[in-house]
Amino acid sequence: MPYLTVDDVQLYYEDQGTGQPLLFLHGWGTSGRVWGAQQAALVTDFRVVTVDWRGCGRSDRPVAGNNLAGVLADLVELIRQLGLPRPIVIGSSVGATFATELALARPDLLGGVVAVDGPAYWPGQGMPLAEIIGEMRDHRAEFVARWVPNWYAPGTSPALVDWTVRQILDSGVYIDELFHLFATYDPRPRLPQLRTPIHYLHGELDAEIPVAVARACAALTPGARVGVIAGAGHMPQQERAAEFTAALRAAIANLTLQAAA
């Protein structure tokens, strides 16, 4: 299996196809597997890279570095080691925050960002973080089993919910540090300075991070657009895979035109 090493941490990644590079970032506790439908659909037209960021999936589970700075440093090094020329970074949930922050910190590296059901801002919007922090510490398995169904729209297959629960419980406990960071996270004051083209895609029925969050962020971001995936919750790339992939293709085309302008 393909791994690269960053500061003694092994990160699992998959790199397939040729052409314009797309770098996919999963959300908290899951893995690159959440992008399986998009990998299969896009690999014939793009260079598709997925990564399990530190603490998740098939990557190492270090005690340290499970924070915004640590993950961003990993991503910069991954882009360098794989030789990705100005990739479009597609991030889901916390992965959307990573993508946005990477664009703010290193606009020279990226060709665009697609923020999927993120980034959130707290307090006032998004998930009840104080409750989550305590429950994840003291009742991890029970809480995850109660919490994850809320990520999905009503009527979602129980098999998909159960698979997501298993991924989270298989990830490292140290990634919970991110909840402390995002308890005070708010990118809105800096979004007007974002010069990397960005497109927001959001599930219509997201009960974790409401679509109003994406609209508020887009209103502050130069040139940003919002696409809403009807009938989807917090994981539209899995819940409505065909519709999401079509919207993603359109977003990539729009970002490519913006970057070339």
Side-chain angles (χ1 to χ4, degrees):
M1 293 193 295
Y3 288 88
L4 60 83
T5 302
V6 180
D7 291 335
D8 298 324
V9 176
Q10 283 197 312
L11 302 177
Y12 177 86
Y13 71 96
E14 296 182 7
D15 183 356
Q16 300 160 335
T18 59
Q20 183 179 19
L22 309 177
L23 173 58
F24 287 86
L25 307 178
H26 61 85
W28 178 87
T30 56
S31 72
R33 291 186 173 104
V34 302
W35 302 109
Q38 289 70 49
Q39 281 181 294
L42 299 175
V43 71
T44 56
D45 302 307
F46 300 94
R47 181 180 176 185
V48 177
V49 178
T50 63
V51 60
D52 296 355
W53 43 266
R54 63 169 60 209
C56 297
R58 294 147 288 187
S59 292
D60 284 349
R61 292 150 171 74
V63 174
N66 300 283
N67 50 39
L68 181 60
V71 174
L72 292 188
D74 290 348
L75 295 175
V76 170
E77 184 62 16
L78 178 142
I79 290 170
R80 187 193 70 81
Q81 288 195 34
L82 296 185
L84 301 179
R86 297 184 65 82
I88 291 177
V89 182
I90 301 104
S92 172
S93 191
V94 171
T97 298
F98 296 153
T100 303
E101 290 295 325
L102 186 59
L104 285 163
R106 293 294 307 270
D108 57 304
L109 288 183
L110 306 189
V113 168
V114 180
V116 181
D117 289 70
Y121 46 82
W122 292 277
Q125 291 283 354
M127 297 172 279
L129 291 173
E131 174 189 347
I132 290 170
I133 289 168
E135 291 289 337
M136 289 298 297
R137 180 187 62 241
D138 299 330
H139 310 287
R140 194 174 196 85
E142 299 95 323
F143 178 70
V144 169
R146 295 197 311 270
W147 180 29
V148 168
N150 199 54
W151 294 15
Y152 292 96
T156 298
S157 166
L160 178 54
V161 175
D162 291 345
W163 181 52
T164 304
V165 169
R166 290 198 305 272
Q167 286 186 78
I168 293 170
L169 295 179
D170 285 344
S171 292
V173 297
Y174 304 115
I175 62 171
D176 293 4
E177 181 179 344
L178 286 164
F179 290 130
H180 294 275
L181 168 68
F182 292 116
T184 58
Y185 180 75
D186 189 346
R188 288 175 293 176
R190 293 173 293 125
L191 290 177
Q193 284 74 56
L194 185 63
R195 294 297 174 260
T196 302
I198 187 168
H199 193 109
Y200 296 85
L201 290 179
H202 216 93
E204 175 193 21
L205 305 178
D206 190 342
E208 296 296 312
I209 301 174
V211 68
V213 171
R215 292 189 171 118
C217 289
L220 296 168
T221 311
R225 298 183 182 181
V226 178
V228 177
I229 309 302
H234 190 61
M235 305 284 275
Q237 72 271 38
Q238 295 183 295
E239 298 172 74
R240 297 287 187 271
E243 296 92 332
F244 176 85
T245 302
L248 178 59
R249 280 188 180 274
I252 291 168
N254 177 61
L255 292 173
T256 301
L257 288 174
Q258 285 184 268

